């Protein structure tokens, strides 16, 4: 699976931004898809994920209620709608995917075999 993330940019605090992740190469509907982010000098952090069908999404506490993940399997695309953005949301955002899901490891970068190149989100105060 090849993943291509896009949509990053500069936004003021309180603003909104939508990221996209387009997948190709395999039947994407059989893959769990997730978002991670990495701020300068910090480890890569789980943001949220969505089930294969798109019926259920789950989030890190830090973004719960502000971010929404969705997917359109017909377009092989996952989205990350980010609202009420804060300066601490500034990071490179990565989409990732894998065929397998585990409740014990879903939050770990090592659980995912396929990664996009990242898109930078900068939130100014």
């Amino acid at each position: 699976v090849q993943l291509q993330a896009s949509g990053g940019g500069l936004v003021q605090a309180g603003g909104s931004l939508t990221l996209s992740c387009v997948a190709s190469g395999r039947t994407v509907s059989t893959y769990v898809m997730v978002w991670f982010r990495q701020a300068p000098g910090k480890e890569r952090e789980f943001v949220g994920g969505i089930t294969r069908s798109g019926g259920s999404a789950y989030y890190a506490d830090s973004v719960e209620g502000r971010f929404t993940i969705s997917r359109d399997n017909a377009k092989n695309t996952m989205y990350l709608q980010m609202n009420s953005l804060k300066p601490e949301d500034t990071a490179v955002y990565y989409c990732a995917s894998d065929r397998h899901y585990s409740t014990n490891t879903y939050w770990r970068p090592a659980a995912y075999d396929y990664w996009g190149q990242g898109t930078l989100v900068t939130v100014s105060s």
Side-chain angles (χ1 to χ4, degrees):
V1 176
Q2 292 81 44
L3 302 175
Q4 179 79 30
S6 63
L10 175 64
V11 62
Q12 289 188 335
S16 299
L17 205 60
T18 300
L19 307 183
S20 299
C21 176
V22 180
S24 61
R26 294 287 177 93
T27 305
V28 177
S29 60
T30 63
Y31 287 73
V32 172
M33 298 187 76
V34 298
W35 289 97
F36 281 79
R37 66 186 182 186
Q38 188 164 18
K42 295 188 176 181
E43 293 186 351
R44 196 163 294 191
E45 173 191 30
F46 176 80
V47 173
I50 191 164
T51 56
R52 295 171 182 86
S53 67
S56 180
Y58 43 99
Y59 304 92
D61 289 344
S62 58
V63 306
E64 179 80 54
R66 299 188 297 122
F67 290 11
T68 302
I69 296 174
S70 61
R71 68 190 289 173
D72 184 340
N73 285 338
K75 296 181 178 180
N76 289 341
T77 303
M78 173 178 63
Y79 304 95
L80 178 63
Q81 171 69 43
M82 303 183 293
N83 298 324
S84 302
L85 282 162
K86 305 175 182 180
E88 51 264 43
D89 294 319
T90 294
V92 176
Y93 283 71
Y94 297 91
C95 56
S97 181
D98 201 272
R99 293 196 66 178
H100 306 287
Y101 171 85
S102 168
T103 56
N104 295 323
T105 62
Y106 71 89
W107 49 272
R108 298 177 60 187
Y112 301 92
D113 285 340
Y114 307 101
W115 289 84
Q117 85 289 359
T119 185
L120 176 62
V121 173
T122 303
V123 184
S124 62
S125 57

